[in-house]
Amino acid sequence: MIRLFIADDHTIFREGLKQILSEQDDFEIVGEATTGDGLVERISALVCDVVLLDLSMPGRSGIGLVRDVASIGGSRVVVLSMHEERQYVIEAMKAGAVGYVTKASASDQLIETIRKTAAGERVVSPSASQALIRQMLEPEPPHTALSPRERQIFDRLVTGRSVSAIARELDVSIKTVSTHKSNVLLKLDAGTTADLVRYALARGLA
């Protein structure tokens, strides 16, 4: 029996995932979380084989959380993410993840990834693999230089969220968000949030 822990803050996605995985005779869902805060402690208190971890959750999240969860003995991390950019895949795997699956992947690919990673293999979903190959053959666009946290800020800014709203959502200070915003503007050679929106629209990021 493969014991699973699901960490994802999107309720509809998480509930759908639970339904699909619970239909597998060799899977058992032993826990779930909607925030990164206290996640390591919760997983440490359980017997868990594979942790399905969303990179972008409220509270503690991102590559640092992947590293912390991966350090828990006996638990293998499979990242679930909407991001296909190679920086996310590479950084997640370097941080200790043994699998990387995009949320656009078919359910059977996720199921196969869980079984393979539980057996000791390392797996990157086909869609992420194709994106890696494609991006390696093309010049890197400026947004690939953003750190995972900067990308979180960028994604929220281009949807119209204010700095204060982002700070509340990510459970960080307004100063922290403002600093990341300044770095994003600098890296993307943008002067205003409107410039970021235009950049995102031009590249299909919003």
Side-chain angles (χ1 to χ4, degrees):
M1 185 68 70
I2 300 173
R3 292 155 297 200
L4 306 174
F5 190 102
I6 303 172
D8 193 292
D9 64 313
H10 295 95
T11 302
I12 294 176
F13 178 82
R14 190 179 65 258
E15 291 299 324
L17 193 60
K18 286 165 56 181
Q19 182 175 349
I20 291 170
L21 298 180
S22 63
E23 294 173 353
Q24 307 303 308
D25 293 337
D26 55 337
F27 290 174
E28 178 187 1
I29 299 172
V30 297
E32 60 183 287
T34 59
T35 176
D37 293 334
L39 183 61
V40 173
E41 291 76 13
R42 289 189 59 189
I43 295 173
S44 297
L46 298 169
V47 178
C48 180
D49 301 307
V50 176
V51 178
L52 302 177
L53 179 62
D54 182 12
L55 275 183
S56 304
M57 291 194 297
R60 181 159 174 70
S61 63
I63 299 302
L65 184 59
V66 173
R67 185 176 295 108
D68 290 345
V69 174
S71 68
I72 301 172
S75 295
R76 302 174 68 79
V77 177
V78 173
V79 169
L80 293 174
S81 178
M82 61 182 288
H83 302 296
E84 293 183 340
E85 290 88 346
R86 63 179 174 182
Q87 72 176 99
Y88 285 93
V89 181
I90 292 171
E91 288 186 24
M93 300 300 274
K94 283 184 176 179
V98 296
Y100 194 102
V101 180
T102 62
K103 290 187 175 181
S105 299
S107 58
D108 59 342
Q109 291 175 356
L110 174 59
I111 291 169
E112 181 182 11
T113 296
I114 291 171
R115 291 189 174 122
K116 285 184 175 181
T117 54
E121 297 184 41
R122 293 178 179 271
V123 182
V124 175
S125 68
S127 57
S129 297
Q130 289 300 314
L132 274 173
I133 294 171
R134 184 174 63 252
Q135 291 165 27
M136 288 174 66
L137 297 175
E138 297 174 351
E140 291 189 6
H143 67 270
T144 60
L146 299 178
S147 70
R149 179 61 92 180
E150 288 168 350
R151 182 58 190 267
Q152 282 185 305
I153 304 298
F154 170 79
D155 288 342
R156 287 162 173 78
L157 285 171
V158 299
T159 61
R161 291 180 177 87
S162 66
V163 168
S164 58
I166 295 172
R168 288 194 300 272
E169 185 174 338
L170 298 180
D171 194 24
V172 296
S173 69
I174 291 177
K175 181 179 179 181
T176 295
V177 176
S178 296
T179 298
H180 285 306
K181 178 182 177 181
S182 296
N183 291 337
V184 170
L185 290 169
L186 180 63
K187 289 182 178 181
L188 301 189
D189 193 25
T192 65
T193 301
D195 292 334
L196 295 180
V197 173
R198 283 189 286 271
Y199 179 97
L201 290 173
R203 291 163 178 80
L205 302 175

